[in-house]
Amino acid sequence: MKLSRKFISANTEMCTLTEWVPAPYLRRVLDVSETPVRAELSVCGLGFYRLWVDGCEKTRGHMSPYISASDDVMDYDVYDLTELLGAGKHVLGFQLGNGMQNCFGGYVWDFEQAAWRSAPKLAVCLELTYADGRTESVEADETFVWAPSPIIYDDIRQGECYDANLEIPGWNTADFDDSAWKPAVKAECPRGKSVVCAGNPIVETERRSPVAIKAGTRLTYAHSEQVDEGYLYDFGENCAGIPLLRVRGEKGQKISMIFGEYIKADGTFTVDNIRFVRPEYYDMPLYIQRDEYTCRGDGVEEWSPVFTYHGFRYCLVTGITEEQATEDLITYRVMNTDLPERGGFSCSDDTLNALQRMIRISTLANFYHFPTDCPHREKNGWTADAALSTEHALLNLAPENNYYEWMRHIRASMNERGAIPGIVPTGGWGFAWGNGPAWDTILVTLPYMVYRYRGDKKIVEESLTALFRYVNYLTTRVDERHLIAIGLGDWCAPYGPRSPLIFTDSVISMDICEKTAFLHEVCGYEAQAKFCRAVAEKFRAAVRTHLIDWNSMTAIGEGTPTPGCETSQAMAIFYNIFTEEEKLAAYKVLLAKIHEQNDHLDTGVLGARVIFHVLTQFGDSDLAYRMIVDKTYPAYGAFVAHGDTALPECFSVSDNHIDSRNHHFFGDISAWFIKAICGINYNPAADDLTRADITPHFVSGLTHAEAFHETPMGKISVRWERSSDNEITLCVEYPEALHGSLVFDAGWVCKKCGKSQTDAKAGTFVLVRA
């Protein structure tokens, strides 16, 4: 299938925050002489497109084809139209949205300065094949005609405005008179590589009705005198998607919908936590997450935005009457990339169940083509956020197609030095600030984890060159001790990062080099693997020489009452800075640091990713559990006690400091639930897709727990239930294609055979105290 690089636009005018340009309609009439045996259409709409064939919409998914920097990669969708294009007259209709191509609402990250920025543009190729072997093709050119659509404003972050009085009935049908429409103009082709989008589309997954409606709700804004007042619709959970408006209105009535996620302690609604209110932006129009609809006034009208989405629990509706403020006025169309469920967890503890639900919501709400940091304020593909969440996402869902697609864009974003930006896609922002090893690890984490959990070697093979370049880049950034400190560190620590940047960057750099060496070995590149392992060993030796106090077995830390910190100590154990013989002494230091914090977390995202696994490794799953469920700050249980329904960005729960309440990068505890509590450890060394060890830990605070994961070899499920203090029933579903060990928690043995471990197999096991 040809991916045409001939682009057209309606014109060169670009919508901005203050100058609105409608989203264009484009159409092309086709006279098909005879019925083809095959009709295939490829489409690239930059930023987004919608497709109609003879008046019927065929668009693959919401905000198709992708969100990309078009000078890096251009994604195309391919459609089989064979059953639709018989002999006769047909029409292809399109509508174009700004998307990332004209991302004027992303000014905080300099997207409005992107070199590839332009008015929306379209490339298509329709290939017709006839029975006698003849072929015919149609590409985008000036024979396409255009007119303004009723979408008078659209931005992926700011929102969308629609005037129903500007609708053009029948515009996308073959018999429509388009003689007054203007011819399209040729547009410059971006420099990006043309690819067929391999990711799953964005789809609607659920429709929600409001759980409460509150009249007279006022919304004020920091650094603005604007006040909005109306009806606040509460949808119960903080998800992501779009509204469905259903209203019987007056002609010209303008209805505004403002979306947010937070109610302050005094009961007021706010969106200040999802706005950037830096001084240079004080005067910007307040269109953050705001949709507007202007009514036709001819009966019941239904509308949803198509080129944007929002992260929200609450919707403030203004411009309506009391009679219109009904339950069915606004329906929440929850959306995310189509990611089938592949795993899950539940147990006897309501707090853990709530956290598992919150993590699932945040993972999905932040998956719009690729993982994002939040579904409202930024909508950026922050690399560290995705790296920290890759394992729990793969254990719970099926994101590998979209990881594969996003890796194309990550690799393409690499600059001449071998660095990658902190956000992908980007218009250039994220190199001077916002990246570094703990963020750049996405380069190796995605292919490594996809290979481990799904056995997909293609994503590895296509990433090797970029990975080797990055390892070389790291060698140019080290100091005279072979340590590195160039990026962001232990982000979102409750009292500020305790682990110095030079420690976290050096340790993560070592891990990047080790995983890169492993992936080169997998593909048979021994020389490259040897080089990468040598670089990794230099990092390990440098950390051991300069950043470990061997008298106390303590990794460097700062800002705590005694030397060391939770993050450094946990990372040094998890990433094998300490040898196996040294780890027990180092672990005792970690325990002391935890007790020093009254058994609370004192880590940011990097420490939280590893600390619970380390505790379990040394037999302290009970302590890990208590640290998670504790309802006092800072702890995960505090989120639940606070009433959050998605996973927040940080552990603050004070109105004085409200961050995003919908992030996923603290969500690795879901992987801990599945791997530690229920013991599903699939392909632990990433070298055998047929191996799965079952190693459950019978946390004393639980009476039962269960989890499952669909491996490429079949479904594993584990359930255990405590019938008394001295007996546990363990039920295991285990595919015959797998092999591994079944290891019972310390102090437990099989009642029947008296063993503490056996070969992994399906069955029910009654366990008693040893």
Side-chain angles (χ1 to χ4, degrees), residues 392-438:
H392 78 71
L394 282 162
L395 279 167
N396 281 278
L397 302 164
E400 60 271 13
N401 291 342
N402 290 75
Y403 283 162
Y404 173 84
E405 182 59 43
W406 194 38
M407 274 299 295
R408 287 171 163 171
H409 298 253
I410 294 170
R411 296 191 300 264
S413 73
M414 182 175 278
N415 68 12
E416 293 179 357
R417 294 188 66 185
I420 65 170
I423 59 173
V424 179
T426 181
W429 189 94
F431 285 100
W433 185 93
N435 58 355

Side-chain angles (χ1 to χ4, degrees), residues 86 107 143 148 154 174 311 341 390 393 412 422 647 663 676 689 692-693 752:
Y107 50 81
T143 60
D154 71 277
E341 183 179 67
T390 301
L647 198 63
H663 265 58
L689 287 170
D693 296 329
K752 183 177 181 180

Side-chain angles (χ1 to χ4, degrees), residues 11-244:
N11 51 44
T12 59
E13 294 182 73
M14 285 187 282
C15 193
T16 70
L17 288 166
T18 55
E19 301 293 328
W20 293 12
V21 176
Y25 283 144
L26 294 104
R27 53 179 271 129
R28 168 71 150 81
V29 175
L30 308 169
D31 286 312
V32 179
S33 57
E34 61 182 274
T35 299
V37 295
R38 183 163 182 80
E40 199 168 40
L41 175 72
S42 64
V43 183
C44 180
L46 300 173
F48 303 135
Y49 75 90
R50 297 170 73 193
L51 164 69
W52 290 263
V53 179
D54 295 336
C56 296
E57 184 164 7
K58 300 298 179 182
T59 316
R60 180 168 178 257
H62 190 63
M63 301 194 310
S64 288
Y66 203 73
I67 301 171
S68 67
S70 56
D71 272 356
D72 290 342
V73 181
M74 296 186 294
D75 286 85
Y76 291 67
D77 288 330
V78 175
Y79 298 87
D80 184 351
L81 304 184
T82 305
E83 299 301 317
L84 301 177
L85 298 183
K89 191 176 181 181
H90 301 278
V91 66
L92 298 179
F94 299 90
Q95 186 181 37
L96 300 183
N98 287 303
M100 189 59 74
Q101 190 65 21
N102 178 28
C103 191
F104 56 89
Y107 50 81
V108 178
W109 307 277
D110 299 337
F111 282 114
E112 87 287 2
Q113 301 175 33
W116 34 265
R117 184 187 176 199
S118 73
K121 56 181 68 175
L122 174 71
V124 300
C125 183
L126 174 65
E127 294 184 320
L128 304 175
T129 303
Y130 298 102
D132 60 3
R134 288 181 300 112
T135 61
E136 182 181 352
S137 64
V138 175
E139 296 182 69
D141 57 21
E142 296 92 333
T143 60
F144 281 72
V145 293
W146 74 276
S149 80
I151 298 177
I152 58 178
Y153 173 97
D154 71 277
D155 179 79
I156 191 173
R157 291 176 178 81
Q158 305 295 313
E160 190 166 305
C161 300
Y162 185 96
D163 188 343
N165 298 286
L166 302 177
E167 292 176 346
I168 308 173
W171 74 272
N172 49 18
T173 60
D175 295 331
F176 176 78
D177 181 4
D178 61 13
S179 59
W181 286 34
K182 299 177 182 178
V185 298
K186 289 183 179 180
E188 182 180 359
C189 177
R191 296 179 296 178
K193 181 181 179 180
S194 300
V195 301
V196 175
C197 184
N200 297 351
I202 297 168
V203 297
E204 179 182 314
T205 58
E206 182 185 1
R207 291 198 175 190
R208 287 175 169 265
S209 298
V211 297
I213 304 171
K214 182 181 178 182
T217 300
R218 289 167 58 86
L219 176 60
T220 60
Y221 304 85
H223 310 290
S224 173
E225 295 181 357
Q226 181 171 327
V227 177
D228 289 296
E229 183 172 349
Y231 294 83
L232 188 69
Y233 282 64
D234 178 358
F235 291 94
E237 287 187 317
N238 188 12
C239 305
I242 57 177
L244 170 62

Side-chain angles (χ1 to χ4, degrees), residues 313-371:
R313 172 176 172 171
Y314 305 100
C315 174
L316 181 67
V317 186
T318 68
I320 61 171
T321 65
E322 181 179 355
E323 291 74 24
Q324 290 172 325
T326 60
E327 181 178 311
D328 63 352
L329 177 77
I330 304 290
T331 299
Y332 197 155
R333 297 178 61 192
V334 179
M335 305 182 97
N336 50 257
T337 294
D338 184 15
L339 303 179
E341 183 179 67
R342 185 174 281 142
F345 169 84
S346 64
C347 68
S348 58
D349 189 296
D350 290 341
T351 297
L352 289 194
N353 292 335
L355 288 167
Q356 171 71 7
R357 171 69 179 166
M358 291 160 67
I359 293 164
R360 178 67 62 89
I361 287 174
S362 289
T363 303
L364 291 173
N366 282 290
F367 218 119
Y368 273 65
H369 292 309
F370 49 79

